[in-house]
């Protein structure tokens, strides 16, 4: 199963996926970010499909088409989102029905969205975690494949809490991708 990873950030989950020996054939990023260097260090082609607008004029369907084109050019069969910062439109779900995975740094359905770690801290929860799920058109919903709890400590900052969550993601996400493939 040829994997394409979508990323927008540091790429530590990508690194964990590569370390696990999963067959990543391409990495697509929507902005310059650390994931590109991680891909290149592993000899995996990284493609920047630049998102030029973050405003109301953003053409989401056209952008999604470009991402799908990049994935298809590399013969990708399974899409793995690892900290991808753009919500993609219907076209990617048509091209990869039931074949898009995501990891989220909270116990969904609690704290969906981009500020999951900050919101969990602000809510004062004592336990949060991470969720690996099938991505659907609606953001951070979709069938849950795996979840693991992570404790929240009194002196946590968003950074320390996110680091603790990522430690778990780095094990849980590759494991779950392997299970999904088999
Ligand atoms: C992860 O915590 C993931 O759950 C979230 O973004 C983060 C990506 O981190 N969606 P990295 O780029 O893999 O380090």
């Amino acid at each position: 199963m040829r994997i394409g990873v979508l990323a927008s950030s540091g790429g530590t989950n990508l690194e964990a996926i590569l370390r696990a020996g999963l067959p990543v054939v391409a990495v697509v990023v929507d902005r310059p970010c650390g994931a590109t260097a991680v891909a290149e260090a592993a000899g995996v082609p990284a493609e920047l499909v630049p998102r030029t607008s973050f405003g109301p004029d953003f053409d989401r369907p056209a952008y999604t088409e470009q991402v799908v084109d990049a994935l298809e050019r590399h013969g990708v069969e399974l899409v793995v989102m690892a900290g991808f910062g753009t919500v993609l439109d219907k076209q990617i779900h048509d091209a990869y029905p039931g074949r898009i995975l995501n990891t989220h740094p909270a116990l969904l359905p609690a704290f969906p969205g981009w500020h999951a770690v900050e919101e969990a801290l602000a809510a004062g929860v004592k336990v949060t975690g991470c969720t690996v799920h099938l991505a659907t058109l609606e953001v951070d919903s979709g069938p849950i494949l795996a979840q693991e709890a992570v404790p929240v400590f009194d002196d946590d900052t968003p950074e320390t809490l996110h680091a603790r969550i990522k430690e778990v993601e780095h094990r849980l996400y590759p494991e779950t991708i392997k299970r999904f493939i088999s």
Side-chain angles (χ1 to χ4, degrees):
M1 175 85 60
R2 294 168 66 85
I3 295 176
V5 175
L6 302 182
S8 304
S9 49
T12 64
N13 276 287
L14 169 62
E15 221 165 0
I17 289 163
L18 290 165
R19 210 179 313 122
L22 282 158
V24 179
V25 297
V27 173
V28 175
V29 299
D30 62 355
R31 66 200 78 186
C33 65
T36 300
V38 172
E40 281 168 359
V44 174
E47 246 187 78
L48 172 63
V49 180
R51 175 170 172 175
T52 47
S53 164
F54 287 82
D57 62 331
F58 178 51
D59 188 345
R60 204 173 296 278
Y63 182 81
T64 302
E65 291 286 3
Q66 289 180 45
V67 171
V68 170
D69 279 356
L71 294 169
E72 287 180 341
R73 246 185 290 115
H74 290 279
V76 166
E77 298 166 302
L78 175 68
V79 181
V80 167
M81 297 200 284
F84 191 61
T86 296
V87 175
L88 295 174
D89 226 324
K90 189 178 172 298
Q91 294 84 346
I92 193 158
H93 298 280
D94 293 343
Y96 293 98
R99 288 187 174 208
I100 308 173
L101 303 184
N102 185 41
T103 178
H104 182 75
L107 293 174
L108 291 172
F111 310 116
W114 301 119
H115 305 291
V117 179
E118 291 81 352
E119 284 170 13
L121 258 188
V125 295
K126 300 301 175 203
V127 173
T128 183
C130 62
T131 304
V132 178
H133 65 102
L134 267 178
T136 51
L137 200 47
E138 201 185 322
V139 176
D140 294 335
S141 46
I144 292 173
L145 302 175
Q147 265 182 330
E148 203 167 305
V150 172
V152 181
F153 299 142
D154 289 343
D155 60 353
D156 263 331
T157 62
E159 291 71 30
T160 58
L161 179 55
H162 201 171
R164 194 174 312 115
I165 294 169
K166 281 192 185 189
E167 261 180 54
V168 175
E169 284 187 302
H170 294 165
R171 176 176 41 76
L172 190 67
Y173 203 16
E175 257 175 38
T176 308
I177 297 166
K178 280 189 183 165
R179 188 159 50 83
F180 183 81
I181 290 174
S182 64

